[in-house]
Amino acid sequence: MRFGPVPIDLAEGAVLAHATAAGERRLRKAHRLSGEDVAALKAAGVTEVIAAVLAPDDLGEDAAAEKIAAGMSHRNVDAKPAATGRVNLHAETAGIFTVDARMIDAINAVNPAITIATLAQHAPVERGQMVATVKIIPFAVAANLVERVVKICAGGEIFAVNAYRPVSVGVIQTMLPGVKPSVLDKTLRVTEARLARSGGRLRAERRTPHEIAPVAEAAAALARDNDMVVIFGASAMSDFADVVPAAIEQAGGTVIRAGMPVDPGNLLVLGTLAGKRVIGAPGCARSPKENGFDWVLDRLVAGLDVTAGDIAGMGVGGLLMEIPTRPQPREPLPARAEPRVDIVLLAAGRSSRMGGPNKLLALFDGQPLVRRTAERARGSKAVDTIVVTGHQRERVRAALAGLNVTLADNPDFADGLASSLKAGIARVAPGAAGAMIVLGDMPGVSSKDLDSLIDAFRRSGGRSVVRASHQGKRGNPVLLPRSLFPAIAHLEGDTGARHLVEAEGLDVIDVEIGKAASIDVDTREALEGAGGVLQD
């Protein structure tokens, strides 16, 4: 390929390096010039263009990227069509990403014109998330270089998404004097929420004294009927012969590793018993915040083996975020980018209690309610506003004309609230830490109110549920962390976010925003009392 100025008389077939005007026509960057294009450029007085002239043995950027992607062997990964020299590859299911780093390094060493980037080894991914991208840097690349890369790809599986399995888990919680039942109850809720994100379930629990024999007996019993056993000790492991590792061995199991180079998570114990995995959970696993327990649990649920060597190799990158309840905190982390929040605005309902008119089209100060709510969402610190439409979708969308919002259609709106939640969450950006569920019929909620919830969410590290309240009573909107997104996929009927908040056991932060948290307009009386005027 030759790149640089090309006389217009020789430019047919060349690929434009920059967008170029040909009279009233505008030829985009990377456009391959036809004879008609060249004639139009000459007529416009253009004498030369900056372009790439392909050699006979060159492949165009899209063709090269597609050929490389087609030559890859992978599991649970879907390659999208090439565009601008790039093929993006997305997860077909939720799970744990694994990659052959040697193959990736070998491909990237062939020539700088050909690049492949992937997620990190063992990264957790959601269905639809991008896991890798093939990018051709110039407009074309020599075919022999592409063939070298394809030959490397033929060497085996280059990467995979190892799908989560719906495992059943038995939990043991040991007790010492002074341990509050409420702490044990919360641990169960947090554990259930952890398992829910991968489709697993907590099937049984036993509470025992913090002693070797009763823990061993309970572990043996639970291992018979469950895929995995998790033990929460009332006292943290302080020796490799302490209660949890000793109980695993007394039950006839084997301790694979006690202690891990991940903080929080140092005091994890991993073993096997009756062919099942047993995890002695570190104390930090009682919190929903990410810790070393998540790393081991997620891999096991995805069907990946975790060896003593694997755990020993987790130190690089193993210094995780601080847990606020730690008695002796480490040094504070430097400032990071604030967690992204998107808003899901629910506007698909039938306004059945209105007896006909759509309440979202009612006028407040001359403006349709749905537009007023969307503008306030756009005026907040949220990055994107996703409006879910369904009933009278065309009228609702017309009311939103000109607003910079993302529209999500819910053809199943008549099935209930859950279908709208699913439609909205599906459009939330992959990088968002949370989604705020905003009801379209709450005229009193302001941009400032929304920002108050977003600020509280960010202060929590982007992992807590944040809920609007009024005088101590829960209300709306509700901001949900990403850890709850998988659970939304299982909701049915009119079950909404409130059910998730109550069922998943995550930390909940209530933010007082005044009467706006409890004022919706489900009836004519309520709407007119709030200052609205119904439209036919």
Side-chain angles (χ1 to χ4, degrees):
M1 184 186 77
R2 180 171 59 83
F3 182 88
V6 178
I8 196 64
D9 290 330
L10 304 176
E12 184 173 350
V15 179
L16 283 177
H18 312 291
T20 304
E24 295 183 357
R25 296 176 57 195
R26 186 167 180 81
L27 305 176
R28 60 178 176 79
K29 177 183 177 180
H31 176 72
R32 179 167 287 198
L33 295 173
S34 65
E36 182 182 350
D37 297 329
V38 169
L41 289 167
K42 291 175 70 174
V46 177
T47 59
E48 69 175 18
V49 291
I50 305 300
V53 179
L54 276 60
D57 61 346
D58 282 341
L59 282 178
E61 55 180 349
D62 285 353
E66 285 185 337
K67 187 166 186 177
I68 291 169
M72 293 177 171
S73 175
H74 43 64
R75 283 183 294 117
N76 295 325
V77 174
D78 176 48
K80 302 300 182 182
T84 64
R86 183 185 301 278
V87 170
N88 294 329
L89 298 107
H90 294 251
E92 292 181 326
T93 185
I96 298 296
F97 180 73
T98 52
V99 57
D100 188 325
R102 290 176 299 179
M103 289 180 69
I104 298 296
D105 290 346
I107 291 169
N108 285 327
V110 168
N111 189 281
I114 301 172
T115 68
I116 299 181
T118 76
L119 295 180
Q121 186 77 279
H122 295 126
V125 299
E126 298 177 15
R127 183 176 181 272
Q129 182 178 345
M130 187 191 302
V131 298
T133 185
V134 178
K135 172 63 179 173
I136 306 301
I137 302 298
F139 292 120
V141 64
N144 68 311
L145 295 178
V146 175
E147 292 299 332
R148 285 172 59 187
V149 171
V150 171
K151 186 175 181 180
I152 295 171
C153 292
E157 183 177 86
I158 190 166
F159 42 68
V161 175
N162 300 271
Y164 292 129
R165 304 168 301 158
V167 299
S168 63
V169 175
V171 167
I172 300 169
Q173 298 203 70
T174 71
M175 296 180 292
L176 287 170
V179 173
K180 296 179 180 179
S182 60
V183 172
L184 305 183
D185 293 341
K186 180 178 179 180
T187 299
L188 278 186
R189 294 194 299 269
V190 169
T191 304
E192 287 175 333
R194 267 198 170 90
L195 293 171
R197 70 192 181 200
S198 57
R201 64 191 181 101
L202 197 160
R203 187 173 178 182
E205 182 212 14
R206 293 202 178 186
R207 298 184 180 183
T208 74
H210 189 68
E211 299 169 6
I212 295 172
V215 174
E217 180 183 355
L222 290 175
R224 286 194 296 268
D225 301 323
N226 296 280
D227 300 315
M228 188 185 304
V229 177
V230 178
I231 306 172
F232 289 90
S235 177
M237 179 189 69
S238 57
D239 189 90
F240 302 141
D242 210 339
V243 169
V244 173
I248 294 172
E249 293 185 339
Q250 183 167 310
T254 301
V255 174
I256 296 171
R257 172 94 183 194
M260 70 186 304
V262 179
D263 190 9
N266 290 143
L267 304 183
L268 179 138
V269 179
L270 179 64
T272 60
L273 176 59
K276 311 293 179 61
R277 287 306 179 99
V278 181
I279 306 176
C284 57
R286 296 183 188 273
S287 164
K289 298 182 185 298
E290 182 187 14
N291 58 79
F293 176 70
D294 292 288
W295 290 16
V296 174
L297 177 67
D298 287 350
R299 294 192 200 182
L300 293 177
V301 172
L304 297 172
D305 191 22
V306 178
T307 67
D310 291 331
I311 294 178
M314 292 179 179
V316 175
L319 186 60
L320 302 179
M321 65 183 294
E322 185 57 73
I323 292 179
T325 54
R326 181 183 295 274
Q328 295 181 331
R330 299 188 298 266
E331 291 295 322
L333 292 175
R336 300 188 300 175
E338 292 181 322
R340 170 175 173 150
V341 172
D342 286 351
I343 284 177
V344 174
L345 198 163
L346 303 182
R350 292 177 290 180
S351 303
S352 55
R353 294 172 63 184
M354 286 291 175
N358 189 337
K359 61 184 176 182
L360 297 180
L361 301 176
L363 299 182
F364 282 77
D365 298 325
Q367 186 179 50
L369 176 56
V370 67
R371 185 180 185 91
R372 171 189 174 113
T373 308
E375 286 185 351
R376 291 180 177 185
R378 288 297 307 152
S380 73
K381 295 178 181 179
V383 177
D384 190 16
T385 296
I386 299 145
V387 183
V388 182
T389 60
H391 175 62
Q392 296 185 347
R393 63 176 56 84
E394 297 305 326
R395 294 185 65 194
V396 171
R397 292 187 174 202
L400 298 169
L403 286 185
N404 183 20
V405 297
T406 298
L407 296 173
D409 183 38
N410 175 22
D412 302 318
F413 66 90
D415 292 344
L417 179 60
S419 63
S420 289
L421 277 174
K422 294 176 186 178
I425 291 297
R427 301 294 297 274
V428 172
M436 190 189 309
I437 311 303
V438 177
L439 306 182
D441 64 346
M442 299 190 71
V445 176
S446 66
S447 299
K448 183 179 178 181
D449 294 332
L450 301 178
D451 285 344
S452 296
L453 271 66
I454 293 171
D455 290 342
F457 179 74
R458 288 173 171 171
R459 286 193 297 269
S460 79
R463 294 179 180 270
S464 297
V465 173
V466 179
R467 183 171 59 193
S469 65
H470 174 46
Q471 295 181 347
K473 295 182 178 180
R474 63 191 180 192
N476 284 295
V478 177
L479 207 168
L480 305 178
R482 177 165 285 276
S483 62
L484 288 183
F485 289 7
I488 291 173
H490 301 291
L491 295 178
E492 299 293 340
D494 273 323
T495 304
R498 178 174 295 177
H499 169 79
L500 288 180
V501 173
E502 295 171 349
E504 299 297 332
L506 298 185
D507 291 338
V508 177
I509 300 170
D510 284 330
V511 175
E512 173 67 40
I513 67 169
K515 292 182 179 180
S518 55
I519 296 177
D520 55 20
V521 288
D522 281 341
T523 65
R524 286 176 174 267
E525 293 75 13
L527 186 141
E528 292 169 356
V533 179
L534 280 171
Q535 303 295 300
D536 293 329

